[in-house]
Amino acid sequence: MSRLSRFAFWLTCVAACRPTPGPSVTTPAATGVVAEAAPGERAGPAGAPEGKREVVETTVFHLHKFLQRIGVERDTYTRDGAGELEAKASFGFQDRGSQVTLAASFRLGPDGAPRDYQAWGKTSRMSSIDERVLVEADGSFMHSRVGEAPVRGKPSGAYVVASGYAPLLAQDLLLRAWVARGRPTTMTLLPAATVTIESRGKQEHEVEGKRVTLEHVSVRGLVWGREDAWLDDAGRLVAVVTRDAEFDHFEAAREGFVALLPELVSRAGADGVAWLSEIGQAAVRGPTGVVALVGADLIDGTGRPRCATRWSSTTATRSSPRGRARRRRSRPAHRRSTSPAARSCPACGTCTRTCSRSSKAPRIWRPASPPCATSATSSSS
């Protein structure tokens, strides 16, 4: 048999062995629309009835570190025939020569509550994740992570699911749930955490020649410390300023809002300082009544010259109206030892102090004409 005849025979055998094609499956177009599955087949997770799947929303976030663009995340929301929503995220960026990629999938019930969450991949150059949270029909959940034993529990109330700063899809769904549930102060974060969300006001911004209003919110309990996020009028995530798994500055903005990132980072810093002032004022108000300071150093923050007060043995029982502690009066000279030992002033380190000890009296500290107290005494007189 010639070489050409053998080749023709091989083509005939391949054509004879090719399986008969089944019903075709139409994939959604880029604009997003309907995909028909073959009869008896399921395109989604087991148990989810399929028939008509529709891509209802596609979102793109641009990822940054220190305001330098490093990657992108694409989120797709698909609704099936049973009314459940499936959201998928493809997250990736390049950091110092390393590729960081992450994928995540959410399945939300008709009420918007998460039923199934999975995430696998890398969240930084040095950290990986592979976990799943599955909510059962009775409201309990099972959390499984590679290398750890599964954990079961049951949330006490409304809950959200997220693994940290990434993917942005988890943060978007978390904040949408916060808006839909009436903006509660705290929410349960599965598997075992609590997230605190606070509105920090609304500001107007100019985007592509148009004025838009964004709501600034702070989120605590999701990452280390406090992060800032901005929502549009529909309650969807627009931008976030936070820290990633390496504690680097991390920023992300939805497509069309990237130009706002420098301004939003500046606002996040200013709001962080204002927030520290707020919690500082709350600490100043503190408890009322008698406060005992035991085993602590009393620091004068009034701005007076150093060593302006007399150094003596002190028992701080309560604070006076002027903020100074009441001090025990020094013992008379005839009760003190006649052989004092020179010491240095612990405030300035230059004045000399005398230490005297008596068998019947406690240890008493008094200044031996410290120069730093002379000016204060003369000015007060």
Side-chain angles (χ1 to χ4, degrees):
M1 183 181 294
S2 65
R3 182 179 300 176
L4 183 60
S5 300
R6 287 197 301 269
F7 181 69
F9 176 75
W10 179 79
L11 286 179
T12 303
C13 293
V14 169
C17 296
R18 181 179 300 171
T20 304
S24 61
V25 178
T26 307
T27 58
T31 54
V33 96
V34 178
E36 295 293 341
E41 294 182 354
R42 292 176 178 174
E50 296 292 338
K52 186 177 181 181
R53 294 174 56 83
E54 181 182 3
V55 178
V56 295
E57 183 182 344
T58 301
T59 307
V60 176
F61 289 98
H62 295 274
L63 314 179
H64 297 70
K65 268 196 179 188
F66 301 99
L67 291 176
Q68 302 298 315
R69 186 175 298 184
I70 56 173
V72 68
E73 174 180 323
R74 290 181 173 85
D75 302 336
T76 304
Y77 298 80
T78 305
R79 192 172 298 280
D80 60 20
E84 292 190 344
L85 186 68
E86 184 181 32
K88 293 184 177 181
S90 176
F91 172 99
F93 63 81
Q94 189 169 10
D95 182 17
R96 286 162 276 193
S98 299
Q99 194 70 24
V100 178
T101 57
L102 176 70
S105 172
F106 284 84
R107 177 162 287 276
L108 310 175
D111 57 351
R115 302 289 180 82
D116 191 2
Y117 163 69
Q118 300 179 67
W120 61 96
K122 302 184 69 175
T123 56
S124 73
R125 296 172 301 157
M126 299 167 285
S127 57
S128 301
I129 188 173
D130 190 347
E131 67 177 344
R132 182 180 186 183
V133 177
L134 180 63
V135 180
E136 306 291 349
D138 60 354
S140 62
F141 70 90
M142 182 184 68
H143 172 251
S144 56
R145 179 179 294 171
V146 171
E148 300 180 8
V151 176
R152 293 183 177 273
K154 190 169 185 177
S156 57
Y159 61 89
V160 290
V161 183
S163 299
Y165 86 101
L168 275 302
L169 171 62
Q171 299 205 42
D172 196 357
L173 293 175
L174 184 153
L175 291 169
R176 293 188 191 195
W178 175 69
V179 173
R181 294 169 186 170
R183 302 167 176 264
T185 303
T186 60
M187 291 191 299
T188 300
L189 179 64
L190 297 184
T194 301
V195 62
T196 303
I197 306 176
E198 178 187 1
S199 176
R200 304 296 293 175
K202 296 184 178 182
Q203 303 99 24
E204 284 194 351
H205 303 269
E206 186 173 349
V207 181
E208 298 178 352
K210 299 180 181 179
R211 302 295 296 180
V212 296
T213 301
L214 301 180
E215 182 179 8
H216 181 191
V217 299
S218 68
V219 182
R220 286 178 289 157
L222 183 61
V223 299
W224 185 85
R226 173 181 180 267
E227 73 169 24
D228 298 85
W230 285 263
L231 310 178
D232 60 13
D233 292 334
R236 299 184 304 167
L237 182 64
V238 169
V240 62
V241 176
T242 183
R243 285 151 299 284
D244 63 9
E246 297 185 33
F247 298 100
D248 289 338
H249 289 271
F250 183 88
E251 308 88 23
R254 202 170 74 199
E255 196 165 66
F257 295 89
V258 177
L260 286 180
L261 272 181
E263 180 183 353
L264 298 181
V265 169
S266 177
R267 286 184 179 270
D271 186 72
V273 174
W275 177 72
L276 287 175
S277 177
E278 293 172 9
I279 62 174
Q281 290 297 325
V284 168
R285 288 191 291 270
T288 58
V290 177
V291 178
L293 306 177
V294 181
D297 294 329
L298 184 63
I299 300 175
D300 189 355
T302 61
R304 296 183 179 87
R306 299 172 73 178
C307 292
T309 57
R310 294 184 63 186
W311 292 93
S312 62
S313 199
T314 303
T315 302
T317 55
R318 69 177 67 193
S319 296
S320 65
R322 295 187 179 181
R324 299 190 211 171
R326 295 184 178 181
R327 292 170 171 77
R328 183 187 307 161
R329 297 181 59 184
S330 303
R331 301 183 69 85
H334 68 277
R335 298 288 299 276
R336 297 197 301 267
S337 173
T338 58
S339 59
R343 296 294 181 98
S344 297
C345 171
C348 61
T350 58
C351 333
T352 58
R353 300 157 54 84
T354 58
C355 170
S356 57
R357 182 176 298 176
S358 172
S359 59
K360 297 182 180 181
R363 195 168 187 174
I364 300 174
W365 295 87
R366 297 191 55 156
S369 301
C372 56
T374 306
S375 58
T377 305
S378 59
S379 60
S380 61
S381 59

